[in-house]
Structures are given as structure tokens and as C-alpha cells.
Amino acid sequence: MTRVMLRAKLHRATVTEADLHYEGSCGIDEDLLEAADMREFEKIELYNVNNGERFSTYIIKAARGSGAISLNGAAARRAHVGDLLIICTYSPVDDSQVDLWKPKVVLLGENNRIQEIKKI
């Protein structure tokens, strides 16, 4: 049997752009993607700290070093520029490995700069 477990998280990412008329997705600074081991076109779950909205979309790369977190298309209705998000990916993990499983957490600060990377 497998369980779906948290794989990686960008914690307290600040929305930098919301574009309703762009074809859907979430643009994420390429540096942040690498830090969290997330990939372009990977499914993500997003949790808006400011209003409690929960939604999913997929990743597109944003310019490296830009600090960009852009919500596009329908996702742009779920958050405003300046809102804080928790962005997560999940993975199936075999029951025999669950007790050893450690997700990667990237804690973000001002301008979406990495404050800390840890396995929890």
C-alpha cells in the first residue's frame, strides 16, 4: 500500500502578480523551484494564508532570481498581489518508507527570498 505524502513546500510565498487573462498556471522563480525540487508542469496545491482559499494548478518557470510568484488564469481569482501562499507538492510513498519520509520545506522571507531550507 502507498500513502500520498507531502513532498515539498514553499512556505509563505508572496504573490507578485495575478493575471486573469493569461493561460492558466503558477509562475515560480526558477531558483525557488530548484530549492524545493519542484519541476515545470508539476501539479501543485496552493493554500492562501490571507483568505483560506485552496486550489490547484501547475508550475511554469519564472525568471531566475526574480522572486516571482504569479497566478494566472482562473488561479488569479484565488489570491491578490501581496497575499501569502503555501505551495505544496505531494508524492506516493510506500508504507514501508513512511516512517523515514522527510519532505523538503523552503521557508521564504521578504521578496520571496529563501530564509531556510530544511527536511522536516
Side-chain angles (χ1 to χ4, degrees):
M1 184 184 336
T2 62
R3 296 174 190 261
V4 177
M5 306 291 287
L6 176 67
R7 191 183 63 71
K9 170 169 80 164
L10 292 169
H11 190 73
R12 297 181 69 84
T14 302
V15 177
T16 60
E17 183 179 352
D19 185 351
L20 182 63
H21 302 291
Y22 185 89
E23 191 175 324
S25 61
C26 177
I28 301 175
D29 178 327
E30 198 168 354
D31 285 339
L32 301 179
L33 293 178
E34 286 181 5
D37 189 28
M38 294 179 177
R39 300 289 187 262
E40 188 167 36
F41 308 117
E42 184 173 5
K43 180 181 178 179
I44 51 176
E45 298 289 330
L46 300 98
Y47 313 114
N48 187 324
V49 174
N50 294 76
N51 66 19
E53 288 280 352
R54 294 172 163 255
F55 55 102
S56 61
T57 188
Y58 61 93
I59 297 167
I60 59 172
K61 288 180 187 176
R64 184 178 296 281
S66 66
I69 301 290
S70 62
L71 296 178
N72 304 306
R77 295 241 187 238
R78 301 291 183 208
H80 296 284
V81 171
D83 282 1
L84 295 175
L85 302 176
I86 299 168
I87 302 172
C88 299
T89 61
Y90 296 87
S91 179
V93 176
D94 189 87
D95 263 350
S96 66
Q97 298 299 308
V98 166
D99 290 339
L100 303 172
W101 187 254
K102 301 284 186 204
K104 185 179 258 191
V105 175
V106 179
L107 303 175
L108 301 178
E110 191 174 334
N111 299 316
N112 292 323
R113 299 297 175 226
I114 297 169
Q115 300 298 301
E116 184 180 355
I117 301 172
K118 61 183 180 176
K119 294 248 184 176
I120 58 172

